[in-house]
């Protein structure tokens, strides 16, 4: 739980010890999973030239680049921006400093990001973003690895009831180019009506052929079968085979659903997108997909989790036993306790209240002795 | 080593995998030391109201509050600042959300900070600040704990040749009030000449009595003895006894020096300040001391390390063995390797070059087999 605090601007909060401990534990667990799968962490800076950062977000969600705090840098007299997303920074590193590194290149990142304006759905303006990018591939194998890795990371973070919702971000482009032709003017209208899942609007927009897509949604197996029925001409075949392979790769590790027309936030992605959910969370736990890096146009696959927004659903790490060290205690004995995993708090002055300092034990000549709790 | 990069503003850098791994390892090691000594981590936000943050830095280093990036918040129409120091944030938390928590209150923090203007000595504008604050005490016992904790943290981070330079930030105030009176106009001039260690200037400023202080500097024992000689009237006695107790507490864990007139950066501190050094670092590794929290005026003791500036002197964490997982590999065997501490990188497509992907082993039916390196 975060603490409301009039002293802080809207959407910015202190994370106090219990919540901070959950976030730190989740971060370590997730980063360890990414590291074990060969993802090397990079640390880009909080600030960049606005033109550079916005340029690398060119293909991103509409409004995302506008969402950054900006200010003039007295050193360069150029406009800087505070990052709202670390993905473009990782793309920049892959395209510059790590341009000659062998592909596929696996990079991990974790850091604070800030948006200038909160959304109605999510009042937080600061977000602790953690993610992995697989650079040099947007294949089914890459997508399978990214989804599995995201599920493994959430599981390691202690989340349960994990589900993954698959989508096909370029569905309308693909179908309109082949099976169900639309004029240029119609494409945007059909996309919009599919977004709002409005059957009447869809027909009125000239997208009657797209109506069955609205019903090819839900649990993966049945939704995929419905989508295969719609795709009699086979325009979607390679994509649907891909989804099936990814789902097979995930197996029982997560529940899988399909919502082929879901497009919100996936505008910059290519053939595959996914959203992660977990028990106890009102919002998505994260999202990812295949895309092309803005600027270098290299194929890539990745995902992002917002750790601080998962903190309410994560388990509280077990607190270590805490031993109070009275004045004049045996320092070697205290060091030994810490080496064994205890926490210690040393007495500084007479009159302290060890239980109030959350110490369950006190160090004596014969070792730690449990304190009576008040 | 950081990579120079024309794409980034002056003083802002990407940390690429090797350096990022050193920083991450140092951060975990230091945070684990603070946690073991009973310090609870808090996570304040990157941005705050400028008036609130600057107000809590009121007693701080001249110019520090001016060093923050500022911008208008469209949500509140108030000025926000990007933090340049996390200490005032921890002081705010102690004085508000944790006002009723038992004292001494031990808090730890770690996060990115940014200054608007680099100094000549240190071109970095972004710094990863890690620290501990012991709130509710500025006693000798508190100072002893803070210095020992800082030394333990640097040692755990892998740094060697650690030394600590003690100083007495309020030395001139104390002496001028008792032993060696100065007029109000003289005090600032004497401080300035002591800062620059200018014997002639000190005499000219009316501070001839302070001349011996310039020579009471160097290895702790001899400098302390010289300082006791200067302090014939005993105005400094309680402070000097304190320094001796702190030094005794540190013992052989670090080399100790004394520079009683060193004041740069300690203007906001009360009776005790210290600077940390380590082998292989051109700049200080960190600093700390006793102070009063601006706003609440509560006594406190703490220290700060800038982890990214220590990264060059920190050892490279041993790289885990990395095993290449060919297409169609046994996934359970791969998971077992990871559980045993291996890293794995999975093949995504034909034609990949496992050694170029920095894999020293390949998974076969009989387990990992070492690959010939090119």
């Amino acid at each position: 739980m975060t603490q409301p605090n009039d002293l802080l601007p809207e959407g910015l909060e202190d994370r106090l010890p219990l919540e901070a401990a959950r976030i730190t534990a989740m971060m370590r667990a997730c980063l360890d999973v990414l590291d074990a799968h060969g993802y090397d962490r990079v640390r880009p800076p909080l600030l960049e030239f606005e033109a550079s950062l916005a340029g690398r977000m060119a293909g991103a969600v509409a409004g995302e680049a506008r969402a950054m705090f900006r200010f003039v840098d007295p050193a360069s007299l150029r406009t800087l921006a505070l990052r709202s997303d670390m993905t473009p920074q990782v793309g920049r590193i892959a395209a510059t400093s790590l341009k000659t590194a062998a592909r596929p290149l696996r990079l991990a990142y974790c850091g604070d990001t800030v948006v200038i304006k909160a959304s109605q759905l999510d009042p937080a303006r600061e977000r602790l973003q953690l993610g992995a990018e697989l650079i040099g591939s947007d294949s089914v194998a890459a997508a399978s690895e990214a989804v599995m890795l995201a599920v493994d990371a959430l599981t390691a973070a202690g989340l349960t009831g994990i589900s993954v919702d698959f989508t096909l971000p370029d569905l309308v482009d693909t179908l309109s180019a082949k099976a169900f032709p639309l004029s240029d003017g119609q494409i945007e209208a059909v996309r919009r009506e599919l977004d709002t899942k409005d059957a009447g609007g869809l027909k009125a927009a000239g997208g009657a052929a797209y109506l069955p897509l609205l019903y090819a949604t839900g649990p993966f197996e049945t939704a995929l079968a419905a989508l295969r029925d719609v795709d009699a001409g086979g325009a979607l075949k390679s994509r649907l085979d891909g989804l099936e392979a990814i789902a097979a790769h995930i197996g029982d590790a997560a529940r899988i659903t399909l919502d082929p027309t879901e497009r919100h936030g996936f505008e910059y992605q290519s053939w595959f997108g996914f959203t992660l959910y977990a028990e106890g969370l009102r919002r998505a736990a994260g999202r990812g997909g295949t895309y092309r890096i803005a600027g270098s146009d290299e194929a890539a696959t990745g995902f992002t989790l917002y750790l601080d927004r998962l903190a309410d659903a994560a388990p509280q790490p077990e607190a270590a036993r805490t031993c109070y060290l009275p004045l004049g205690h045996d320092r070697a004995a205290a060091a030994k306790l810490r080496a064994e995993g205890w926490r210690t708090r040393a007495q500084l002055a007479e009159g302290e209240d060890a239980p109030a300092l959350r110490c369950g034990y006190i160090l004596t000549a014969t070792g730690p002795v449990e304190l009576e709790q008040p």
Side-chain angles (χ1 to χ4, degrees), chain A:
Chain A
M1 290 296 294
T2 54
Q3 299 289 316
N5 192 331
D6 291 346
L7 293 171
L8 291 177
E10 193 182 311
L12 296 162
E13 293 176 282
D14 292 319
R15 310 294 175 165
L16 298 181
L18 284 174
E19 187 179 18
R22 291 200 298 278
I23 292 173
T24 299
M26 279 197 297
M27 183 165 43
R28 287 193 183 194
C30 290
L31 285 171
D32 284 348
V33 166
L34 304 192
D35 184 76
H37 284 85
Y39 287 74
D40 288 325
R41 183 167 179 185
V42 290
R43 292 177 161 272
L46 276 179
L47 307 179
E48 294 206 21
F49 289 125
E50 187 269 342
S52 162
L53 204 47
R56 290 185 181 274
M57 299 173 88
V61 181
E64 190 70 21
R66 284 201 311 273
M68 294 188 291
F69 276 105
R70 294 164 158 72
F71 32 87
V72 172
D73 178 13
S76 62
L77 300 179
R78 292 174 59 185
T79 302
L80 305 185
L82 180 54
R83 67 183 177 206
S84 59
D85 181 3
M86 294 178 74
T87 314
Q89 298 189 296
V90 175
R92 175 180 54 70
I93 290 172
T96 56
S97 303
L98 299 181
K99 187 179 181 170
T100 60
R103 263 52 171 175
L105 175 65
R106 289 171 171 90
L107 297 176
Y109 57 90
C110 182
D112 291 314
T113 61
V114 180
V115 292
I116 202 165
K117 201 169 177 303
S119 72
Q120 278 190 311
L121 283 170
D122 182 2
R125 294 201 285 176
E126 183 171 31
R127 301 185 291 191
L128 179 59
Q129 185 182 13
L130 177 142
E133 304 298 328
L134 181 43
I135 289 146
S137 180
D138 60 359
S139 67
V140 170
S144 298
E145 177 167 319
V147 176
M148 192 70 230
L149 192 60
V151 171
D152 281 352
L154 288 175
T155 304
L159 297 187
T160 54
I162 297 166
S163 68
V164 189
D165 191 35
F166 290 176
T167 189
L168 290 170
D170 66 358
L171 179 72
V172 173
D173 296 309
T174 308
L175 284 177
S176 68
K178 297 186 180 174
F180 308 142
L182 295 172
S183 70
D184 283 354
Q186 283 174 316
I187 288 184
E188 203 38 56
V190 164
R191 279 204 193 110
R192 201 168 45 236
E193 301 303 335
L194 284 171
D195 272 354
T196 56
K197 308 205 188 296
D198 179 344
L202 192 56
K203 263 191 267 188
Y210 290 76
L211 270 175
L213 293 177
L214 291 182
Y215 309 103
T217 183
F220 183 71
E221 297 296 340
T222 48
L224 184 74
L227 205 48
R228 289 208 187 271
D229 286 346
V230 178
D231 186 43
L236 297 177
K237 184 172 189 310
S238 66
R239 282 169 173 70
L240 301 185
D241 292 349
L243 294 184
E244 202 157 14
I246 299 168
H249 188 78
I250 304 313
D252 294 333
R255 196 169 66 89
I256 300 175
T257 56
L258 177 60
D259 188 350
T261 67
E262 171 64 32
R263 200 176 53 111
H264 179 72
F266 292 108
E267 286 81 350
Y268 72 106
Q269 289 177 324
S270 55
W271 73 275
F272 175 66
F274 64 101
T275 308
L276 300 148
Y277 298 92
E279 210 172 297
L281 288 176
R282 280 171 304 139
R283 291 182 291 265
R287 62 195 337 171
T290 59
Y291 63 100
R292 289 201 167 259
I293 295 174
S296 67
D297 205 42
E298 188 171 10
T301 308
F303 71 89
T304 277
L305 308 176
Y306 291 109
L307 289 185
D308 40 7
R309 298 197 292 181
L310 309 181
D312 286 350
Q316 191 67 42
E318 202 184 332
R321 287 175 302 179
T322 303
C323 187
Y324 188 66
L325 306 175
L327 290 172
H329 65 270
D330 177 347
R331 288 170 70 187
K336 188 162 168 286
L337 283 181
R338 287 189 296 268
E340 290 166 7
W342 287 71
R343 297 183 90 189
T344 61
R345 287 199 175 96
Q347 182 176 11
L348 294 181
E350 300 294 345
E352 288 180 7
D353 180 352
L357 294 171
R358 288 166 295 125
C359 296
Y361 296 79
I362 185 166
L363 184 61
T364 71
T366 58
V369 170
E370 200 159 353
L371 282 168
E372 265 181 58
Q373 295 302 306

